Each structure stands twice: as structure tokens, then as C-alpha cells.
Amino acid sequence: MTQSSRRSIPAPPFTNAEIMRRADAIIAKYESVVGRDSIIESGMQFRDLYESVVYPDYEVEIVEGVELGVDDDGCKILGIYDVEANSAFIDVSIGPESGDPRRTFTLHHEVLGHGVLQGPWLRQRLAEEGRSEFIVTTETSLSPRTIQHLERQANAFAARSSAPPWLIDIAVFECFRPSKPFIYFGPSKYWLETYGVSRPYQVESLHELCRQIAFPIRRRFDGLSTESLAYRLAESNWVADRTRRIALQRVAF
């Protein structure tokens, strides 16, 4: 494929609101099939989501145990989505038995973000242009600008589908029973009551506070990494940053 042909393939023109709506629709259908009570009891299970909704509706194949190597910066490639084959390849290092916390987000990213959200649009685009190249979502097949756009979209979709807002709300409430949002005032010792037991945590940053909240509720999200869940909490209404507040002080005169 020539450089010019790579650059002619654009990313889908989805707005962030459209991406969120599509992710919510997938989870809503999953909920309608297995029941919300089942999800609450067992947590989000990618395998159930895949078998009940994703494969029947989108036929995205998952190919496990592949050695995907590293990228140009030497970073391990965890997953690749092949648009034409409609297949997601998952690196052997994060296989089903690996226990690697990166596996869950990678599956949501490759299978749902690239496969469900972008795959049909990209295949239609190729068909309209009469092209049949082997397209994968890596720099070797698309322009850097398009790759960045595709990755941002897939990340946004995966974040929403792997940790739906309503399930975050339930998990946080059941674990911490908070009466108000968690407030970050800056580096300090914070007391968090988890399942009725209060413990002190030395917290140095807003993200670290989100990590402390995320860790005990990970079981609800199919082993989603603490890092990924912490980012979702930071985007939610459960954590408020007060380090940038305007301070007014009364002085005598």
C-alpha cells in the first residue's frame, strides 16, 4: 500500500457524544439479555457480553495467543484489529490465564472500540472506494493522524463499555456508602470506610485517591485494571478536585 493510499482512509466522524450513546446502547442490549440483577451480582463479564451481543450482532472474531511483538518505540503490542477480516488479535502475554489486568480493557478496546464502533464504517468506506487492502489499526496501514483519531475513539468507547456509569454508581455506593462525593483537597491522609471498615491512606494526588477508591470495586468490572477504573472515577461525579478552588479570606482593617 502506498503512503498516499494510507492517508486517504479517514477515521469515522463520530462525536464524543455519539460514541457514548453507542457504547450505552451495547450495554443496554447486554442488560436486556442477561438482566441487570445478573450484572450487579456477577459484575461486567466481557465473555458474556461478547457471546450474547457482540458476536451475534457484529461477528467480530477473537484470535488469542498471537505474538504481536513491539511497536516502533519498543512498547509491547497487546492487541490489533484487522478491519477487512473483522478480527481482533490478542497478544499471548495477556491470554485468558495470564491474570493480566490489561486484558479486559484491551478486549473492550479492540473488539468493541475498533470492531463494533469503527469496523462497519471503515469497511463501508473501503467498499465505496472499490478497495480491498489489508487494513489494520496500526501505523503501518493508516496515517499517524488517522491512527490517533481511531485510538481516541476506541479508548473512549472501551472506557464506557467496560465501566458503565450506572454500575460505577452501584459499586461505589455498596462499597463505601458515601453521603457525598469524595473531595480531594491536596496531599494528605484520607480515611476511607470500605464495607464498614475505616482505614487511613496517605494520598499524594487526585489520581491516587481515585486508585484507592477503584481498587476494592474492581471485582465488579471483570478485573479491569485499577488504573483504567481510576480514570473512569475521575470522570464521574464521585470525586471532586478542590485544589483549584478560589479562597477568600477576611482580614481586619
Side-chain angles (χ1 to χ4, degrees):
M1 188 189 304
T2 66
Q3 186 68 14
S4 61
S5 67
R6 292 176 189 170
R7 293 184 183 279
S8 68
I9 305 171
F14 300 137
T15 65
N16 192 63
E18 175 70 2
I19 292 170
M20 299 301 100
R21 187 191 67 77
R22 288 173 178 252
D24 289 345
I26 289 289
I27 298 305
K29 184 164 185 179
Y30 171 49
E31 182 184 343
S32 72
V33 174
V34 305
R36 176 168 287 203
D37 289 344
S38 176
I39 298 174
I40 292 172
E41 181 179 350
S42 302
M44 280 291 300
Q45 298 294 324
F46 176 83
R47 179 53 60 180
D48 291 344
L49 172 62
Y50 177 75
E51 293 178 351
S52 63
V53 177
V54 176
Y55 188 76
D57 289 358
Y58 298 91
E59 298 184 331
V60 183
E61 293 281 356
I62 300 176
V63 183
E64 298 270 12
V66 183
E67 176 54 65
L68 297 177
V70 297
D71 62 17
D72 292 340
D73 296 323
C75 297
K76 191 76 182 79
I77 298 173
L78 300 178
I80 286 178
Y81 175 68
D82 172 8
V83 176
E84 189 177 22
N86 196 23
S87 298
F89 297 85
I90 307 301
D91 191 76
V92 65
S93 65
I94 57 169
E97 308 304 323
S98 67
D100 193 310
R102 298 172 297 178
R103 175 177 170 81
T104 297
F105 190 83
T106 299
L107 286 167
H108 279 268
H109 177 97
E110 300 296 342
V111 178
L112 277 77
H114 289 315
V116 170
L117 177 67
Q118 299 165 341
W121 191 94
L122 291 171
R123 282 190 293 277
Q124 179 62 32
R125 183 77 179 208
L126 290 172
E128 290 172 354
E129 296 181 3
R131 300 164 61 185
S132 60
E133 295 95 339
F134 177 77
I135 306 296
V136 295
T137 53
T138 66
E139 286 85 349
T140 58
S141 303
L142 302 168
S143 74
R145 182 177 180 180
T146 298
I147 284 294
Q148 291 173 3
H149 198 168
L150 289 168
E151 292 303 311
R152 283 196 298 270
Q153 289 182 350
N155 279 336
F157 195 99
R160 188 83 168 194
S161 64
S162 63
W166 64 265
L167 188 57
I168 291 177
D169 290 345
I170 290 173
V172 169
F173 183 77
E174 289 191 353
C175 181
F176 298 98
R177 298 288 177 178
S179 59
K180 59 183 178 181
F182 300 90
I183 307 298
Y184 177 70
F185 291 102
S188 183
K189 181 180 289 186
Y190 290 75
W191 287 81
L192 296 178
E193 185 173 310
T194 308
Y195 295 112
V197 178
S198 185
R199 295 186 179 89
Y201 299 90
Q202 184 62 37
V203 173
E204 301 298 332
S205 67
L206 175 65
H207 185 67
E208 189 174 345
L209 176 60
C210 291
R211 282 177 50 84
Q212 296 294 349
I213 299 168
F215 184 77
I217 65 173
R218 283 180 59 235
R219 66 181 185 84
R220 294 275 195 182
F221 302 92
D222 200 17
L224 186 66
S225 73
T226 302
E227 288 294 324
S228 295
L229 194 50
Y231 282 115
R232 292 289 289 127
L233 283 164
E235 297 169 346
S236 73
N237 294 323
W238 282 112
V239 183
D241 185 359
R242 291 293 182 265
T243 59
R244 297 185 178 89
R245 67 190 184 281
I246 298 174
L248 301 178
Q249 182 177 1
R250 180 179 182 273
V251 296
F253 60 90

